[in-house]
Amino acid sequence: MPQHNVPTPWRDALLAVLGLFLPVACLGCGQPDHALCPPCRAVLAATPRRVRLVAGVRLDAAYEYEGLVRILLLELKLRGRVDVARPLGVRFGALLRAALAEAPAGAVVLRIPPSPAGARRRGFDPVVLLLARGGARRTGQLRRTRAGRARAGHGQKERSAVERVAATVGTLRASGVTGQDVVLVDDVVTTGVTMAEGVRAVRAGGGRVVRCVAVASVDD
């Protein structure tokens, strides 16, 4: 429920009333009537950013993927808790705007595509939602190749690092990027294999990836 423009006293009162009918508890500490209470918001704000390289391109991640951040992202993606999108999205959106400000004029934003199964289950794209809550523009999206669609149903967790790379290369396609500068965005970057495939796809399409931005990154 997008209530972030409501003045704080009225918003708190409204949440208290809604809590009678739609009870919520803070996902960080269990305090009632808050999706994320003020102390836990402070914990979120103190969570460090991450900067790393993926396929030779700088990746800016809004958070490390641990603790409270991991809980919030899983609740958003697996249980549809869209009420946590704004707290997560503010820093994510700011990083994207900063990346575009530093990129050459006319740079475009492309989304690493979510898995088809996840997209069908959720009915919404968490990255697009987070960007909207963070005040950033909507994104375009890379496309899965036929091989990518065929492999999308197979999990990566059970594969070795070499198997993950082999299973990912050639699964994405970028069109309409010839001569363009591109910022790639995704939700969580773990090994970086999927983001690296996005970089490869843009380069193969004649574009140049100038920055990658993610909500969270696993500390390597």
Side-chain angles (χ1 to χ4, degrees):
M1 295 174 289
Q3 299 161 347
H4 49 275
N5 292 325
V6 181
T8 299
W10 289 103
R11 182 182 62 196
D12 291 345
L14 179 58
L15 287 173
V17 172
L18 288 176
L20 298 174
F21 303 96
L22 300 171
V24 296
C26 173
L27 292 170
C29 66
Q31 179 179 325
D33 301 330
H34 292 276
L36 194 64
C37 71
C40 288
R41 284 177 181 264
V43 171
L44 181 66
T47 302
R49 294 175 173 83
R50 290 277 287 117
V51 179
R52 56 188 280 198
L53 289 177
V54 175
V57 179
R58 172 174 163 172
L59 165 71
D60 288 330
Y63 302 99
E64 290 187 2
Y65 186 63
E66 62 181 12
L68 181 59
V69 172
R70 183 176 184 275
I71 291 171
L72 295 178
L73 278 171
L74 289 176
E75 288 290 326
L76 172 64
K77 295 174 65 175
L78 300 182
R79 297 181 178 84
R81 288 293 301 271
V82 297
D83 49 350
V84 303
R86 179 164 171 75
L88 287 171
V90 170
R91 190 188 290 182
F92 181 40
L95 283 180
L96 178 59
R97 291 193 298 273
L100 289 170
E102 295 172 12
V108 298
V109 180
L110 292 182
R111 158 82 162 110
I112 299 292
S115 70
R120 287 193 299 269
R121 182 180 67 251
R122 285 187 294 267
F124 69 95
D125 186 337
V127 169
V128 172
L129 177 63
L130 287 165
L131 289 173
R133 293 293 188 269
R137 68 174 73 179
R138 292 179 65 86
T139 70
Q141 186 165 291
L142 293 165
R143 302 294 178 186
R144 292 188 183 275
T145 62
R146 182 175 299 177
R149 291 192 294 272
R151 300 176 201 169
H154 300 283
Q156 293 272 49
K157 292 182 179 179
E158 297 78 15
R159 291 175 171 144
S160 68
V162 173
E163 288 171 339
R164 290 184 184 189
V165 172
T168 304
V169 172
T171 59
L172 297 179
R173 180 178 68 252
S175 57
V177 297
T178 302
Q180 298 221 21
D181 295 296
V182 174
V183 176
L184 288 178
V185 296
D186 203 359
D187 49 8
V188 180
V189 176
T190 52
T191 63
V193 169
T194 303
M195 186 69 84
E197 168 61 10
V199 174
R200 184 211 61 79
V202 171
R203 290 170 177 167
R208 181 172 75 102
V209 178
V210 296
R211 187 73 58 84
C212 300
V213 180
V215 183
S217 172
V218 175
D219 194 8
D220 50 11

